[in-house]
C-alpha cells in the first residue's frame, strides 16, 4: 500500500481534493441509517491502525478520526503528549520511527508546523495534519463538503472570513487556490493571514480581498465563516478582543450577504464573541452538519493517504 502525507491541501492537489469530496458524499449516502460505529461494506482499512497524537486539546478531530477509522474497518489508539514520552522530551524523529513500526498511519495535532514536517520526514507511514498553528486542512475538506451538500458549487463561490487571520483561514486560502473560489478576508489591521497563503490563493486564480470593514466583506457573499478570536496557544489579550469586536458575525452582518448564504464555524464557538447567538442558532448556520462532516472528510483523507483514492 502506498503512503502519502497530508500536511496541507496542496499535498493532495485539486483533483484529489475533488475526489475526497466525491468519495465522502458517496460513502455517507451508502451508510445512511446505519449505526455510527458499523463498518462500511467494503471495510477498506480492515486491519489498519491509526495513532492519534495530541499536543493540544480536541473534541471533533479526536472523535471524528476514531469513528472514521471504525467505519473504514480499522482502529485507532490515542496518545496525548502529557501522558506519553513526547511530553518528557522524546524527539519527534524517534517518535515517528517508533510509531511507524507499530501503526499504519499517524495523525498529529501540534503547535509548530515544523514539528509535523519533522514527523513526516522520519515516518515511513502516512502522516496527517490534525491542526498546527499554521493550518487545519482536514477541517477544510469537511467545510467544502458541507458547502457542496448545501447546494453550492465551489468555482466562483464568494467566501467571506471575519476575525483572526489564523490556521483555519490559511487552509481556506489554500483551498481557494485549488478549487477556484474567492475569499474576502475581514481582519483588524495587524491580524491578517500570512501573505504566503494570500499569494498562493491569488497565484491559483482566486480573488482575495483583504479588508477591515466587515459589512463590505459580507456584501453578496455565499458563505460567511469565522473562528475563535484566540486560538489554542495564543495569548488572550484584551487589545486583540477589542480589535476583533467589530467583526462579529451577527444578524445585521449576515443580512448583507446573499439571502441563502451559509454560516460556517469549525467549532468550538464562543457565542457572543465571534458570532451572535441569533446567527449561530439561526437557519443559515450549518455548523453541526459541518462538525458531522469531519467524519466523512476524515475517511476520504485517510483513504487518499493510503493510496486508495485518486
Ligand atoms: N474543529 C476542530 O478541529 O475541533 P476540535 O478542536 O474539537 O478537534
Ligand atoms: N483556530 C482554532 C481552531 C480550533 C479547531 C485554534 O487553533 O485553536
Amino acid at each position: 500500500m502506498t503512503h502519502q502525507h497530508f500536511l496541507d491541501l496542496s499535498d493532495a492537489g485539486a483533483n484529489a481534493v475533488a475526489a475526497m469530496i466525491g468519495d465522502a458524499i458517496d460513502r455517507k449516502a451508502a451508510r445512511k441509517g446505519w449505526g455510527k460505529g458499523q463498518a462500511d461494506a467494503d471495510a477498506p482499512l480492515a486491519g489498519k491502525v491509526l495513532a492519534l497524537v495530541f499536543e493540544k486539546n480536541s473534541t471533533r478531530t479526536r472523535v471524528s478520526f476514531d469513528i472514521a477509522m471504525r467505519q473504514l474497518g480499522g482502529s485507532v489508539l490515542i496518545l496525548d503528549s502529557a501522558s506519553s514520552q513526547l511530553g518528557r522530551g522524546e524527539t519527534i524523529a524517534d517518535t515517528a520511527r517508533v510509531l511507524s513500526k507499530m501503526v499504519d498511519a499517524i495523525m498529529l495535532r501540534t503547535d509548530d508546523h515544523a514539528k509535523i514536517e519533522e514527523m513526516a520526514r522520519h515516518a515511513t507511514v502516512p502522516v496527517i495534519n490534525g491542526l498546527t498553528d499554521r493550518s487545519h486542512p482536514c477541517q477544510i475538506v469537511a467545510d467544502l463538503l458541507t458547502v457542496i451538500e448545501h447546494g453550492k458549487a465551489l468555482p466562483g463561490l464568494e467566501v467571506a472570513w471575519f476575525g483572526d487571520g489564523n490556521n483555519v483561514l490559511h487552509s481556506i486560502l489554500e483551498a481557494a487556490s485549488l478549487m477556484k473560489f474567492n475569499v474576502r478576508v475581514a481582519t483588524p489591521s495587524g491580524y491578517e493571514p500570512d501573505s504566503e497563503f494570500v499569494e498562493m490563493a491569488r497565484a491559483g486564480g482566486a480573488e482575495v480581498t483583504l479588508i477591515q470593514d466587515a459589512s463590505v466583506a459580507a456584501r453578496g457573499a455565499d458563505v460567511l465563516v469565522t473562528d475563535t478570536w484566540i486560538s489554542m496557544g495564543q495569548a488572550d489579550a484584551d487589545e486583540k478582543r477589542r480589535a476583533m469586536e467589530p467583526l462579529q458575525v451577527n444578524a445585521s452582518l449576515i443580512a448583507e450577504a446573499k439571502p441563502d448564504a451559509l454560516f460556517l464555524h469549525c467549532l468550538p464557538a464562543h457565542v457572543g464573541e465571534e458570532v451572535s447567538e441569533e446567527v449561530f442558532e439561526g437557519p443559515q448556520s450549518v455548523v453541526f452538519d459541518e462538525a458531522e462532516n469531519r467524519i466523512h472528510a476524515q475517511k476520504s483523507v485517510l483513504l487518499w493517504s493510503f493510496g486508495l483514492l485518486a
Side-chain angles (χ1 to χ4, degrees):
M1 226 179 229
T2 39
H3 81 271
Q4 310 179 89
H5 300 311
F6 185 69
L7 305 195
D8 275 308
L9 293 162
S10 305
D11 291 339
N15 290 344
V17 171
M20 286 177 195
I21 296 167
D23 196 65
I25 290 170
D26 292 347
R27 283 187 179 273
K28 185 174 176 180
R31 56 174 300 115
K32 204 170 161 58
W34 293 17
K36 294 183 174 73
Q38 192 176 335
D40 289 354
D42 57 347
L45 297 187
K48 300 288 177 201
V49 183
L50 169 71
L52 300 173
V53 184
F54 289 98
E55 296 205 294
K56 286 183 173 182
N57 294 41
S58 170
T59 297
R60 278 144 290 269
T61 303
R62 183 170 178 149
V63 176
S64 62
F65 267 106
D66 190 334
I67 300 302
M69 274 306 273
R70 290 181 207 215
Q71 292 187 0
L72 293 172
S75 60
V76 301
L77 59 85
I78 295 174
L79 218 59
D80 283 309
S81 66
S83 60
S84 71
Q85 299 291 6
L86 267 175
R88 294 183 59 249
E90 185 167 17
T91 64
I92 293 275
D94 287 356
T95 305
R97 288 182 288 178
V98 170
L99 290 179
S100 296
K101 293 281 193 190
M102 295 185 174
V103 301
D104 300 290
I106 302 165
M107 186 235 73
L108 175 63
R109 167 169 285 197
T110 190
D111 40 27
D112 187 352
H113 196 78
K115 289 192 189 174
I116 200 162
E117 290 173 335
E118 174 84 348
M119 182 75 92
R121 258 195 307 279
H122 293 278
T124 55
V125 298
V127 174
I128 296 171
N129 179 357
L131 180 145
T132 66
D133 290 348
R134 174 185 146 98
S135 57
H136 196 4
C138 291
Q139 178 68 51
I140 303 314
V141 180
D143 290 6
L144 300 181
L145 168 59
T146 307
V147 164
I148 289 170
E149 260 187 345
H150 283 271
K152 298 191 185 292
L154 297 181
L157 195 76
E158 295 291 335
V159 174
W161 172 273
F162 303 90
D164 193 21
N166 67 12
N167 45 5
V168 174
L169 174 59
H170 289 163
S171 291
I172 289 177
L173 289 167
E174 191 158 6
S177 108
L178 297 174
M179 311 313 279
K180 316 296 173 209
F181 59 86
N182 303 322
V183 190
R184 301 104 173 261
V185 178
T187 63
S189 172
Y191 296 99
E192 293 87 359
D194 285 357
S195 56
E196 177 198 340
F197 287 93
V198 175
E199 283 157 23
M200 185 194 302
R202 287 180 178 152
E207 281 172 29
V208 180
T209 322
L210 300 179
I211 23 186
Q212 288 166 22
D213 186 333
S215 63
V216 174
R219 211 161 293 155
D222 296 295
V223 177
L224 293 88
V225 198
T226 188
D227 186 13
T228 181
W229 292 336
I230 316 286
S231 282
M232 290 182 277
Q234 292 181 345
D236 188 348
D238 286 347
E239 187 196 350
K240 184 172 185 185
R241 287 182 181 279
R242 268 196 304 277
M244 294 288 163
E245 269 165 22
L247 297 166
Q248 186 193 62
V249 181
N250 53 33
S252 60
L253 192 71
I254 209 168
E256 301 268 4
K258 291 207 178 118
D260 65 348
L262 301 174
F263 172 70
L264 296 184
H265 190 312
C266 65
L267 307 180
H270 305 80
V271 175
E273 294 185 13
E274 71 269 11
V275 58
S276 70
E277 185 171 6
E278 205 175 354
V279 168
F280 189 77
E281 301 292 348
Q284 288 165 267
S285 172
V286 292
V287 297
F288 295 106
D289 289 346
E290 184 184 0
E292 178 196 337
N293 278 336
R294 291 295 301 279
I295 298 173
H296 307 292
Q298 254 67 125
K299 289 167 75 175
S300 297
V301 168
L302 284 160
L303 289 174
W304 178 81
S305 288
F306 279 104
L308 296 175
L309 212 64

